[in-house]
Amino acid sequence: MKNSTKGALIVTGMALVMTASLVGGYKFITHVSPKVKTEFDNYTNPITQQLIKDFEIPEKEKEEPKEEPSEFSYTGSVKRTYDSPVIYQKGGYIFNSDGKMLTDFRGEKGNDVRLTKSIDGSRAVLVEDDKCVYIDADLNTTEISNTCRLAGMSFDGKYFFHLDQEGSGQAVYIRDIDKGDDYLIAKTPATFRSVCISPDGRTLVYSFYSDKTTIFVQGIDIPETKYETDDCNSIITVSNDGETIFYSSYDKDTEYHCIHQGKITDLGTKNYRHDYLDRECKQILYQDKKGSVKYYRAGDKKPVTLLKEDEARIKLGCVAAQQQDIYMEDYVLDTDSFADAVMIEADYKCYALSGNTPEVVEMSKGLSKIYSYETCVTPEGPACICKIDGEYVKLVYDGKDINRTPVYECERTTTDITCNDDLTKVWVRDGNNIYYVEEGKEPVLVFELEGGAAYTTYDLDWDPSTDRCCFVVSSVLYSVGTTADSRVEMNNCKFFSSYSTNECKILTVYGTDGNTYIVVGGQAYKLR
């Protein structure tokens, strides 16, 4: 053992002497003879470069330099340039923003009609009593089919699909609204289970009751493609190119999945709340079984958890939303970035989203528990109006800092506030008086309670159909604008509530006769 150790030391010593001699000789000869150095380098450089290349760390293993997060620039919710009337529905009544009412499809029970609209509300298609009916903004109707089982309007309103019974089988068509042409997409001797239309209206995704594992995609310009799944309970949507499909399965809980370019990604459980897609239907924002808010973009390895809160609520503000079917919980938002469209409330805290791949920013950080009365993503950034220490304030996150602006300093303890959808108009009830508040200006007294009168309820609410503030005094529903122009909207009113469909906030009025009503164009319509 000693001899082997001694031998190893001798060999190591000789190697060191030889290395030192070579290095010293190289240094000497190249110093006294530059020509020798040039010839030596010409010979050894290719070998050196090859060794470097062989032992180079692959690009994917190199540690990328971490960039500092850049300030996100908000654009706010999209406002489409559309000047014609907008279609709404409530309790089987179909009406437009001009106050025109269509009652042809209202049933005895007063349930909502199975109607879908374009994102700007200018066009709609419905199915009632096996009839497929197209409706324009002026509420003119055109019957398309009298054997229809299902229909749906595309996001942009240029196309819709209708699924018809044809003998013992079924066929699904895409209708070009402007041309009036139908394109046959698929037929079956059996029954379709689920059908959805792409945002541009030129592609369908569908499945059949006979097979719960296969999903089909086909369009006007796209040939039929099949995707195999473990279980497809319901299809949510498909992108314009047909490459991205969101669908759900169900065992003990609803599970979400995404097919992107043929690959399936499991997104986990889904709770009972609504979920939201971007206008290209390649991103989704949803809440899992525990209530945590999650985000996923097609092609990502897995969804990202944005916020873990049991009672989190996703709030839309003034972004336009299209509900794809009244029996489904899925909405397509008019946005490319959820940061420009939604905010989150949870546990008396208000959160904004930042970045195209969103991250959560707490706007109420450093404050005690707050209640956000109204929220909206404005061009200046996400904003919320809340009450802090007896004062209504507006918090705005500009992508870097949270700015605080006073809105109204309350004189009484009994107060309420309401705003329009983009927070540019504010009404405050302070004691018995109602004020209209415009940022940077003195509050304007728009309603003063007369002697002997009393507020039936202390609530204020903004009515989008009239752009006015509503309230109830001595069982009379009033509205008021930005000046002292109050008017009666309905008599014999006990109270009212806001019914939000995410397409339109509709005021539901509860009468002293025990019935419920909506008020459209100055006229009350009985719901139940």
Side-chain angles (χ1 to χ4, degrees):
M1 183 73 177
K2 289 182 179 180
N3 289 336
S4 62
T5 302
K6 184 177 179 181
L9 291 172
I10 293 171
V11 171
T12 303
M14 292 178 64
L16 290 171
V17 170
M18 291 175 64
T19 301
S21 300
L22 287 170
V23 172
Y26 171 78
K27 292 285 186 182
F28 175 77
I29 193 66
T30 54
H31 177 71
V32 299
S33 178
K35 184 177 179 181
V36 172
K37 181 180 185 307
T38 301
E39 291 180 359
F40 188 88
D41 289 346
N42 288 340
Y43 178 77
T44 59
N45 279 349
I47 300 173
T48 303
Q49 294 299 319
Q50 185 61 45
L51 287 171
I52 292 172
K53 184 176 180 180
D54 290 343
F55 289 95
E56 185 178 17
I57 299 174
E59 286 294 325
K60 63 181 180 180
E61 296 180 9
K62 289 183 178 180
E63 187 173 341
E64 296 290 338
K66 293 183 178 180
E67 296 182 3
E68 291 295 324
S70 58
E71 181 178 333
F72 183 70
S73 179
Y74 290 93
T75 61
S77 301
V78 172
K79 292 288 186 181
R80 290 181 176 261
T81 54
Y82 172 67
D83 299 325
S84 297
V86 175
I87 302 169
Y88 304 113
Q89 81 143 323
K90 170 63 177 170
Y93 293 109
I94 300 171
F95 55 98
N96 66 16
S97 52
D98 284 350
K100 187 176 179 181
M101 177 66 71
L102 183 64
T103 61
D104 299 7
F105 305 100
R106 176 172 161 78
E108 293 181 3
K109 295 183 179 180
N111 295 325
D112 283 345
V113 179
R114 198 164 190 178
L115 173 148
T116 58
K117 308 185 305 179
S118 59
I119 191 62
D120 59 10
S122 63
R123 292 173 165 181
V125 64
L126 65 82
V127 179
E128 185 71 13
D129 295 330
D130 294 337
K131 293 180 180 179
C132 174
V133 179
Y134 166 70
I135 305 174
D136 67 18
D138 294 317
L139 304 191
N140 298 309
T141 62
T142 304
E143 185 176 315
I144 306 299
S145 166
N146 58 11
T147 61
C148 188
R149 298 292 180 263
L150 183 66
M153 180 65 68
S154 68
F155 177 87
D156 63 12
K158 295 180 181 178
Y159 301 85
F160 63 84
F161 79 86
H162 55 101
L163 170 62
D164 296 346
Q165 189 72 36
E166 296 186 351
S168 59
Q170 293 183 342
V172 64
Y173 300 85
I174 290 178
R175 163 65 65 107
D176 184 320
I177 296 174
D178 293 330
K179 292 181 179 179
D181 295 338
D182 271 343
Y183 298 89
L184 174 62
I185 301 301
K187 296 183 73 171
T188 176
T191 306
F192 284 86
R193 179 182 182 87
S194 188
V195 183
C196 289
I197 193 167
S198 63
D200 68 358
R202 298 180 65 85
T203 303
L204 295 183
V205 58
Y206 50 93
S207 61
F208 302 104
Y209 270 103
S210 58
D211 181 3
K212 285 188 64 178
T213 62
T214 307
I215 295 175
F216 298 82
V217 174
Q218 190 169 351
I220 296 173
D221 308 308
I222 296 176
E224 182 185 84
T225 305
K226 296 181 182 180
Y227 297 100
E228 295 299 328
T229 72
D230 292 332
D231 175 35
C232 175
N233 181 62
S234 178
I235 299 172
I236 299 169
T237 194
V238 62
S239 61
N240 294 333
D241 56 16
E243 292 188 347
T244 302
I245 303 158
F246 289 96
Y247 71 97
S248 68
S249 61
Y250 184 82
D251 185 7
K252 295 180 180 179
D253 298 299
T254 298
E255 300 269 350
Y256 269 14
H257 312 272
C258 177
I259 300 174
H260 180 64
Q261 296 179 348
K263 181 181 178 182
I264 298 177
T265 302
D266 296 327
L267 307 184
T269 60
K270 160 75 168 61
N271 74 356
Y272 63 91
R273 296 185 185 273
H274 298 149
D275 55 85
Y276 304 100
L277 299 130
D278 71 316
R279 66 166 70 96
E280 298 296 327
C281 290
K282 294 203 172 186
Q283 303 174 70
I284 189 168
L285 192 70
Y286 63 103
Q287 291 179 257
D288 67 12
K289 182 181 177 181
K290 296 180 179 179
S292 297
V293 180
K294 293 195 170 185
Y295 166 82
Y296 180 75
R297 183 193 301 270
D300 289 352
K301 290 183 179 180
K302 61 181 181 179
V304 176
T305 300
L306 301 182
L307 187 67
K308 291 183 178 181
E309 290 284 356
D310 293 342
E311 298 299 323
R313 291 188 302 154
I314 299 172
K315 302 195 71 175
L316 299 188
C318 62
V319 65
Q322 182 205 34
Q323 186 177 18
Q324 296 184 294
D325 192 302
I326 64 170
Y327 298 118
M328 296 175 66
E329 300 169 339
D330 317 298
Y331 291 80
V332 181
L333 304 185
D334 200 4
T335 189
D336 293 321
S337 171
F338 289 125
D340 268 325
V342 306
M343 297 177 67
I344 303 171
E345 285 183 357
D347 193 25
Y348 295 99
K349 296 176 184 177
C350 183
Y351 299 88
L353 300 183
S354 179
N356 289 322
T357 299
E359 296 179 354
V360 169
V361 177
E362 184 183 343
M363 295 182 61
S364 52
K365 194 172 184 178
L367 300 172
S368 58
K369 289 184 177 181
I370 66 167
Y371 179 78
S372 301
Y373 289 87
E374 302 288 348
T375 61
C376 178
V377 181
T378 69
E380 292 74 36
C384 71
I385 292 179
C386 53
K387 193 176 185 180
I388 301 174
D389 298 329
E391 182 183 36
Y392 290 109
V393 300
K394 184 178 182 180
L395 304 177
V396 179
Y397 176 62
D398 62 10
K400 184 178 181 182
D401 300 313
I402 297 170
N403 304 302
R404 177 171 166 174
T405 305
V407 174
Y408 182 85
E409 187 172 354
C410 304
E411 297 179 3
R412 304 286 191 273
T413 55
T414 307
T415 63
D416 194 23
I417 189 170
T418 190
C419 315
N420 66 345
D421 58 356
D422 61 7
L423 311 188
T424 57
K425 293 182 178 181
V426 179
W427 290 266
V428 176
R429 183 187 58 77
D430 193 353
N432 288 332
N433 298 329
I434 298 176
Y435 296 88
Y436 171 71
V437 183
E438 191 172 338
E439 191 170 325
K441 296 183 179 180
E442 289 294 316
V444 177
L445 178 63
V446 293
F447 185 83
E448 188 173 7
L449 200 64
E450 296 178 355
Y455 288 103
T456 306
T457 70
Y458 290 115
D459 297 329
L460 301 180
D461 214 332
W462 173 69
D463 180 6
S465 66
T466 59
D467 195 20
R468 293 167 68 85
C469 168
C470 292
F471 53 97
V472 181
V473 174
S474 300
S475 299
V476 177
L477 177 67
Y478 287 89
S479 72
V480 69
T482 59
T483 61
D485 62 348
S486 63
R487 70 187 186 209
V488 175
E489 298 289 348
M490 178 179 166
N491 292 304
N492 303 316
C493 174
K494 290 174 62 177
F495 64 95
F496 64 90
S497 65
S498 297
Y499 174 82
S500 178
T501 65
N502 282 332
E503 296 175 333
C504 171
K505 185 171 76 171
I506 300 171
L507 297 184
T508 302
V509 183
Y510 296 81
T512 55
D513 59 1
N515 296 315
T516 56
Y517 300 84
I518 56 172
V519 180
V520 178
Q523 183 175 344
Y525 293 87
K526 181 180 173 181
L527 293 175
R528 292 184 178 88

